[in-house]
Amino acid sequence: MRHAAKKLSEAEIKTLLSKAKGWSLVNGKLHREFTCDNFVTAFGNMTRVALVAEAMNHHPEWSNVWNKVVIDLNTHSVKGISDFDFVLADKINEIFEPFPPLRLPGSGKGQ
């Protein structure tokens, strides 16, 4: 059974925000902007986020213009920022910032 969103205190938000790479607090919401290589990549990443958001039943406020995606997160049911927002922010980072390819020694790439 899924737990209800927990509204976070200012201290909890400050602590979690320090670990949420690239996210800031803007107008009472978690905020981040991503620049992708092109529109298809931006929209593809948004589609992947949509699947995660739907599974969580927690949906972002966002906009897209060509290769830019702007995302704001907060939780209406608690009238503020909840633990759900930080979980979704972490998933969004995983989607928009995949690990770079490994450069293995002897592969002819890298050094």
Side-chain angles (χ1 to χ4, degrees):
M1 184 167 192
R2 199 179 309 195
H3 77 278
K6 174 188 172 275
K7 184 173 183 174
L8 300 174
S9 68
E10 285 186 34
E12 289 171 315
I13 291 168
K14 189 174 180 180
T15 298
L16 290 170
L17 197 56
S18 69
K19 300 172 191 163
K21 182 177 173 237
W23 292 86
S24 59
L25 200 55
V26 177
N27 297 324
K29 299 174 184 178
L30 292 185
H31 177 85
R32 181 139 190 218
E33 299 180 16
F34 294 93
T35 301
C36 300
D37 291 338
N38 53 50
F39 174 75
V40 171
T41 302
F43 195 84
N45 287 342
M46 290 177 75
T47 302
R48 293 172 64 204
V49 170
L51 295 171
V52 171
E54 186 64 17
M56 290 180 65
N57 193 29
H58 190 62
H59 305 93
E61 295 176 25
W62 57 7
S63 64
N64 163 241
V65 177
W66 192 61
N67 68 335
K68 293 192 183 342
V69 179
V70 178
I71 303 174
D72 290 301
L73 302 174
N74 74 343
T75 305
H76 300 284
S77 64
V78 302
K79 296 180 174 57
I81 294 176
S82 77
D83 51 337
F84 284 19
D85 296 307
F86 281 98
V87 170
L88 185 54
D90 189 47
K91 297 291 185 191
I92 290 169
N93 281 357
E94 288 176 19
I95 289 167
F96 275 86
E97 297 183 340
F99 292 109
L102 290 175
R103 302 286 181 227
L104 299 174
S107 67
K109 296 188 168 72
Q111 287 94 322

